[in-house]
Amino acid sequence: MAPAADTQQKEDRSRPAGEGRSGRRALPWVVIAFWIVVLAVTAPFAEKLSGAARDRPVDYLPASAESTRVEHLLQKLPGGNTSDALLVYHRDGGLRPADTKAAQEHLKKIAGRYEVRGGDKAPTVVSKDGATSMTALSVSGLEDTAAQGKAVDGIRDIVKEDKPEGLKAEVGGQVALMSDQNEVFQSIDGVLLLGTAGVVAVLLILIYRSPFLWLVPLGVVGVAASAAMAGVYGLIKAFDLTVTTMSTSVMTVLIFGAGTDYALLLVARYREELRHIERPYDAMRSAIRGCGAAVLASSGTVVAGLMCLMAADLNSSSGLGPVGAVGVFCALTAMMTLLPAVLVLLGRRVFWPIVPVYGTEAVQRRSLFAAMGNSAARRPALVLLCGVAALVALSVGAVKLPGALKQEDAFLNKPDSVTAMTTVGKAFPDASSLPITVVTRTPQAAEVEKAVKGTKGVATVQPGRSGEERTELQVFAVAKPESAGEKKTISALRGAVHDIKGAQAIVGGPTAQQMDLDTTNADDRRKVIPLVLVAVMVVLIALLRSLVAAAVLVLAVIASWGAAMGLSGLVFGPVLGYDGLDPSLPLLTFVFLIALGVDYGIFLMHRAREERLKGAGPEEAALTALRTTGGVITSAGVVLAATFAVLATLPLVALVEMGFIIAVGVLLDTFLVRTYLVTSASLLLKRWMWWPGKLSRGSMES
């Protein structure tokens, strides 16, 4: 019997009969009552979160970037932020007079319903082969994404009316792209929640082999998710926090993945204690004492890593930090309070049909992890060398990662806006279909326009809106949107207009935003990654009392991340055909894999430390830890990987890429890094693994 359990039973026997019993009976009910109140209070606010998420272009831009300042200034011009759309008409073999007439009638109807610059005289150009026409629409008065989406839907309805047979009519442009993206975002929440819950339910049934037990952690995770959604909604209202649909999607996955991991560890330890301790209440208390520190440290690394994202300049990344941290905190709180209370009240019968009977030992089966540990023990140096070599070899594939993801490549299923831009790109290969926006002080507008027209790579300049203080110019480059040529033109434009004294001219637009995103993401990586590493190291050192063990775990998960990125390079382009990688993913996946991946090292090394404190030698402690925690940690890793893999079922390339990278990294960490690399390193370093703590001293070695 464990010393803690023996001490607890002696304390129970020394008390007068009945003393403390009422408290033990009442506490679980008090905890459950508390969470019922929390659920009743938070549920109405949780439902409001999806409506409070913002997915405007500016919400995904760097806070201090030049293109972001352009977006803010455009909102102050007459009519608010102008929404740019394109009407695209195409007929194989050439447009007919009836086609042109229908297009003109459509434009009149659109101008009659919306505030279109130029009205029904908006500029229209026809391709050289006469098969495609393109009309540029600048629509004012659409103040938010909801209004923009309704306008795009309305314009699409109009162009479908009275359309000659065989004429292809589409709506493209920046506002149409954003509208289609927002429509996808709005469909994500329900699909993701149901998909994640379904995956977790199936895995828990397989892991527990019980018709009832899986319902308990899954229900507790649902309560945690509701509380987290309400908490994030409160942050939005209190601090005007930028929360995107991508952030809330990741938070949902985190709650289900991390929360289930904590439940697996606690339930496994509780089942073990029930065989040694008679009363469920006392067994749960012993289980929490045994694994509580590891769970707290595990959640601490995730929260600390996520909060480091607040140092990022990119709005969507900095907002993801506190959103994810709230989710993990709620998952931890629910799993360490509500889950124990429910399990204690249900007693041993919740484990049926495999009920842990007091005074018995679990059936000893041939352990896969014992065999793995023995294989590592025979040649630890060779195992470590081969494992590191495999990870390094996989990491080389990162050179195959595609370039930055373009807006039109962000969808798995190409919507109307993307096919419209494809049609325009083929019909007008020598002109850009998306404008570059220049905003200048009004007194210097003429001088700025002259400088813009004289810039190499500029095709045309169209006057935009003008106010007392600022004036907008719409510039079309010779090169295609988001191409190297257009980026070169934007750099030249910025150089030209910045030199005009007093103009305060700045350059924005879709491609300029992409350029600023690339620069900001690189800067954010340089700022955030060191902060994450320091934060995780501090938590690990505090838990394990060892610099060496902490360093080994961090280096191991860095290797997992590198290998996951390398595998992604071999899959995204060559296999899946993706034309780009979301520029924020290297940083976000690093943060998640470092913070989440190190969890399994924490569970393993904390158990090894516990064995060492009981008197086991370094090698025995390492192998015992692997044997006893292998099953539950592997189950936790599979659950976490599966929940992130759910992101890969969603229709946005960026979410698929994120889900793939994190799922692969977690699986590598679960099956290779923790099992072989960390264990073999422990066997090689022996007591020095625990330097400079007391476990590294020779007197501790048995």
Side-chain angles (χ1 to χ4, degrees):
M1 183 177 294
D6 187 55
T7 301
Q8 180 61 50
Q9 290 193 29
K10 288 180 180 178
E11 291 176 358
D12 288 343
R13 286 194 295 267
S14 66
R15 294 193 188 103
E19 185 178 331
R21 297 280 183 86
S22 59
R24 285 197 291 269
R25 286 195 297 266
L27 183 57
W29 289 109
V30 171
V31 172
I32 291 173
F34 168 79
W35 277 102
I36 290 174
V37 172
V38 169
L39 189 61
V41 171
T42 60
F45 298 103
E47 294 174 357
K48 297 180 180 180
L49 178 59
S50 60
R54 299 182 301 195
D55 294 298
R56 304 169 301 174
V58 71
D59 297 319
Y60 289 88
L61 292 177
S64 61
E66 183 172 336
S67 58
T68 308
R69 300 202 306 273
V70 168
E71 290 294 321
H72 288 303
L73 288 173
L74 289 176
Q75 295 175 8
K76 298 178 182 179
L77 289 174
N81 193 0
T82 298
S83 303
D84 298 313
L86 293 175
L87 297 184
V88 182
Y89 294 90
H90 174 82
R91 181 188 290 275
D92 293 335
L95 295 170
R96 301 170 182 173
D99 300 335
T100 303
K101 182 179 179 181
Q104 291 172 345
E105 291 297 321
H106 292 162
L107 183 56
K108 288 180 181 179
K109 290 182 179 180
I110 293 169
R113 185 180 298 183
Y114 304 102
E115 299 177 32
V116 178
R117 184 188 304 159
D120 58 3
K121 299 296 188 293
T124 300
V125 293
V126 179
S127 62
K128 292 179 181 179
D129 62 2
T132 305
S133 72
M134 176 179 69
T135 303
L137 298 180
S138 292
V139 185
S140 301
L142 307 179
E143 298 301 331
D144 53 31
T145 54
Q148 291 169 349
K150 290 180 180 178
V152 170
D153 291 341
I155 293 172
R156 284 174 172 163
D157 289 340
I158 290 173
V159 301
K160 291 177 183 177
E161 296 174 359
D162 301 322
K163 181 171 66 69
E165 186 177 353
L167 177 65
K168 186 179 180 181
E170 299 170 314
V171 181
Q174 180 71 4
V175 68
L177 282 169
M178 289 306 303
S179 176
D180 288 335
Q181 183 169 299
N182 288 335
E183 185 176 346
V184 171
F185 279 143
Q186 290 171 7
S187 67
I188 282 176
D189 287 341
V191 174
L192 182 63
L193 185 62
L194 291 175
T196 307
V199 166
V200 170
V202 170
L203 290 174
L204 286 177
I205 292 171
L206 294 174
I207 291 167
Y208 288 140
R209 291 174 291 170
S210 167
F212 308 113
L213 181 57
W214 66 275
L215 289 167
V216 180
L218 188 62
V220 173
V221 167
V223 173
S226 177
M229 291 175 186
V232 172
Y233 179 76
L235 288 178
I236 295 173
K237 292 301 180 183
F239 302 103
D240 194 30
L241 184 70
T242 298
V243 176
T244 65
T245 301
M246 182 176 179
S247 298
T248 58
S249 299
V250 172
M251 182 188 73
T252 299
V253 171
L254 265 178
I255 293 171
F256 276 85
T260 305
D261 278 5
Y262 304 150
L264 286 170
L265 193 68
L266 178 64
V267 171
R269 191 62 179 259
Y270 175 54
R271 188 201 295 263
E272 182 182 333
E273 297 296 341
L274 281 172
R275 296 186 181 278
H276 305 139
I277 301 175
E278 184 177 2
R279 299 189 182 93
Y281 180 93
D282 298 328
M284 179 59 73
R285 190 164 65 171
S286 181
I288 292 175
R289 279 203 303 266
C291 68
V295 173
L296 287 173
S298 169
S299 60
T301 59
V302 180
V303 170
L306 288 171
M307 293 304 289
C308 290
L309 282 174
M310 294 186 70
D313 190 37
L314 190 63
N315 286 332
S316 54
S317 295
S318 61
L320 177 57
V323 170
V326 168
V328 173
F329 174 78
C330 289
L332 169 71
T333 306
M335 290 304 168
M336 297 304 287
T337 58
L338 179 58
L339 178 63
V342 175
L343 289 175
V344 166
L345 288 177
L346 293 176
R348 285 181 167 80
R349 58 185 175 273
V350 75
F351 290 96
W352 187 88
I354 308 173
V355 178
V357 179
Y358 171 62
T360 65
E361 294 294 333
V363 177
Q364 296 297 321
R365 297 183 176 89
R366 186 176 179 182
S367 171
L368 171 64
F369 298 98
M372 293 172 125
N374 292 334
S375 66
R378 284 193 291 269
R379 292 183 179 86
L382 180 61
V383 169
L384 182 61
L385 181 63
C386 291
V388 171
L391 292 176
V392 171
L394 289 174
S395 300
V396 174
V399 300
K400 289 287 190 179
L401 284 168
L405 186 68
K406 298 178 182 179
Q407 281 188 313
E408 60 263 33
D409 296 328
F411 305 89
L412 288 180
N413 302 315
K414 304 298 184 184
D416 191 48
S417 58
V418 172
T419 57
M421 304 309 288
T422 301
T423 301
V424 169
K426 292 178 180 178
F428 303 93
D430 298 326
S432 174
S433 55
L434 294 176
I436 302 167
T437 305
V438 177
V439 177
T440 177
R441 293 187 72 248
T442 299
Q444 288 80 22
E447 186 180 358
V448 170
E449 184 175 357
K450 182 179 179 181
V452 169
K453 288 180 177 178
T455 302
K456 185 178 179 180
V458 171
T460 59
V461 180
Q462 296 179 3
R465 294 166 296 162
S466 183
E468 293 182 4
E469 297 183 2
R470 303 281 175 175
T471 292
E472 172 196 5
L473 299 174
Q474 288 195 327
V475 183
F476 290 86
V478 173
K480 293 181 179 180
E482 299 187 65
S483 65
E486 190 183 33
K487 291 178 181 178
K488 188 175 181 180
T489 300
I490 290 172
S491 297
L493 275 173
R494 284 177 166 174
V497 302
H498 290 173
D499 291 339
I500 299 175
K501 188 175 181 180
Q504 299 177 6
I506 52 178
V507 180
T511 305
Q513 292 170 3
Q514 189 64 56
M515 294 169 63
D516 290 340
L517 280 171
D518 292 342
T519 301
T520 301
N521 276 299
D523 292 341
D524 285 348
R525 286 194 293 271
R526 286 190 288 270
K527 287 187 299 184
V528 175
I529 286 177
L531 289 175
V532 172
L533 293 176
V534 170
V536 171
M537 280 290 292
V538 168
V539 175
L540 290 175
I541 292 170
L543 174 72
L544 302 175
R545 307 292 196 272
S546 168
L547 284 170
V548 175
V552 167
L553 293 183
V554 169
L555 289 174
V557 291
I558 290 175
S560 296
W561 172 77
M565 294 298 289
L567 273 173
S568 300
L570 300 175
V571 171
F572 288 166
V575 178
L576 300 179
Y578 295 163
D579 295 320
L581 178 74
D582 189 283
S584 67
L585 288 188
L587 173 62
L588 295 181
T589 55
F590 181 88
V591 172
F592 280 113
L593 281 178
I594 294 298
L596 293 170
V598 83
D599 284 3
Y600 305 120
I602 287 175
F603 298 153
L604 178 72
M605 296 304 292
H606 183 262
R607 186 59 182 256
R609 186 173 188 275
E610 186 178 333
E611 296 298 324
R612 287 281 283 134
L613 290 173
K614 292 178 181 178
E619 295 182 358
E620 181 187 353
L623 296 176
T624 300
L626 178 60
R627 185 181 67 252
T628 56
T629 66
V632 66
I633 295 178
T634 298
S635 299
V638 170
V639 168
L640 186 62
T643 53
F644 271 97
V646 174
L647 290 175
T649 66
L650 300 178
L652 288 177
V653 171
L655 291 177
V656 174
E657 292 174 338
M658 174 182 281
F660 182 90
I661 294 171
I662 296 178
V664 168
V666 169
L667 291 176
L668 283 171
D669 197 78
T670 301
F671 289 101
L672 174 61
V673 173
R674 172 188 57 84
T675 305
Y676 283 114
L677 269 62
V678 174
T679 299
S680 59
S682 298
L683 294 171
L684 283 171
L685 292 171
K686 297 182 180 178
R687 63 187 177 88
W688 295 109
M689 186 70 164
W690 303 100
W691 185 88
K694 66 178 183 179
L695 295 182
S696 65
R697 298 165 195 162
S699 59
M700 291 294 299
E701 192 167 358
S702 61

